Amino acid sequence: DAKTTQPTSMDCAEGRAANLPCNHSTISGNEYVYWYRQIHSQGPQYIIHGLKNNETNEMASLIITEDRKSSTLILPHATLRDTAVYYCIVRVESNTGKLIFGQGTTLQVKP
Amino acid sequence: NAGVMQNPRHLVRRRGQEARLRCSPMKGHSHVYWYRQLPEEGLKFMVYLQKENIIDESGMPKERFSAEFPKEGPSILRIQQVVRGDSAAYFCASSLRDRDTQYFGPGTRLTVL
């Protein structure tokens, strides 16, 4: 399975952009990068996903490097409600689509 | 469009009893995944089902656990003869197609006394 490496924790000031990095150096060509977050033990919330190109939606932007070995999730204007554990997941196509969650990054947004 | 629904949200059982957790996928979704999150741990995949079929049960404990997704009605995760170590949050996710984006429900928190 393609593994991901994320920092254990990060802080961000409210109103500033939060940039969450993820390394996935063993990713294969047809494997997608997914981002989810879990707010205080609620169900994981889908944020965004991508294959090669950068992606943007109403929640966040996903920047994937050209070699696809790393990516960055960007929350453009973090709020206190964005405090959560953020999971970067490489979905392995041969794994029947199941998601392998790591420990994620605990993002603390501070006033 | 309603999201993934799980019930009950909280379930308390005594050791040796049975626990039945229900998951109603998003409308139109026919793929269901179950995950478990033990206290202070990450989410772990348990089982993947399509209507009337178990596709991948590689994460299911070998004994006492079973899952089904009948043609009609919700998916059921059944735990027989519960033990304290089964206390956890159980999350269900659904997707429209195979290997599509999964959307999670709010979870069922099982406490075994």
Side-chain angles (χ1 to χ4, degrees):
Chain A
D1 293 355
K3 289 188 175 181
T4 61
T5 304
Q6 299 178 252
T8 302
S9 63
M10 293 181 63
D11 289 343
C12 177
E14 187 178 19
R16 303 295 295 270
N19 296 278
L20 292 89
C22 179
N23 287 321
H24 31 78
S25 58
T26 60
I27 194 170
S28 297
N30 62 346
E31 294 174 341
Y32 285 79
V33 179
Y34 275 79
W35 283 83
Y36 284 81
R37 72 181 182 183
Q38 189 174 26
I39 299 173
H40 196 237
S41 299
Q42 296 176 17
Q45 180 186 21
Y46 166 75
I47 301 173
I48 199 167
H49 74 282
L51 183 63
K52 296 180 182 178
N53 300 321
N54 297 336
E55 301 288 344
T56 295
N57 62 21
E58 65 278 4
M59 288 184 68
S61 294
L62 175 61
I63 309 298
I64 302 175
T65 58
E66 193 169 341
D67 63 8
R68 305 213 321 124
K69 292 183 185 300
S70 66
S71 59
T72 301
L73 178 74
I74 301 172
L75 307 178
H77 305 286
T79 71
L80 299 179
R81 289 177 295 180
D82 292 321
T83 293
V85 179
Y86 287 77
Y87 297 99
C88 169
I89 301 166
V90 172
R91 198 193 67 202
V92 180
E93 290 303 296
S94 62
N95 266 0
T96 64
K98 66 186 177 189
L99 299 175
I100 310 295
F101 285 82
Q103 294 306 305
T105 296
T106 299
L107 175 69
Q108 182 74 45
V109 180
K110 298 185 174 181
Chain B
N1 191 11
V4 178
M5 299 176 67
Q6 292 187 248
N7 66 79
R9 295 290 304 277
H10 299 274
L11 182 61
V12 178
R13 285 288 179 266
R14 296 189 180 280
R15 283 179 296 171
Q17 292 184 320
E18 178 180 288
R20 292 170 70 88
L21 289 62
R22 295 175 187 79
C23 169
S24 296
M26 289 180 69
K27 186 176 181 180
H29 287 196
S30 58
H31 301 258
V32 166
Y33 303 77
W34 286 92
Y35 295 81
R36 177 168 69 171
Q37 187 169 33
L38 294 168
E40 306 303 323
E41 293 190 17
L43 290 104
K44 304 292 185 187
F45 166 79
M46 300 181 74
V47 62
Y48 165 38
L49 310 102
Q50 295 176 19
K51 286 284 187 180
E52 301 184 280
N53 287 303
I54 296 175
I55 307 302
D56 181 354
E57 56 182 349
S58 58
M60 285 280 270
K62 293 288 183 272
E63 298 177 347
R64 302 186 297 107
F65 285 71
S66 62
E68 63 177 7
F69 189 16
K71 186 176 181 180
E72 300 292 337
S75 175
I76 306 288
L77 180 67
R78 182 183 179 204
I79 311 172
Q80 295 178 290
Q81 299 176 326
V82 296
V83 301
R84 289 215 174 107
D86 297 332
S87 294
Y90 292 82
F91 295 100
C92 163
S94 74
S95 66
L96 182 62
R97 291 174 293 269
D98 185 23
R99 296 178 174 81
D100 206 350
T101 299
Q102 295 175 32
Y103 297 90
F104 284 78
T108 293
R109 276 143 190 87
L110 173 66
T111 301
V112 179
L113 301 178

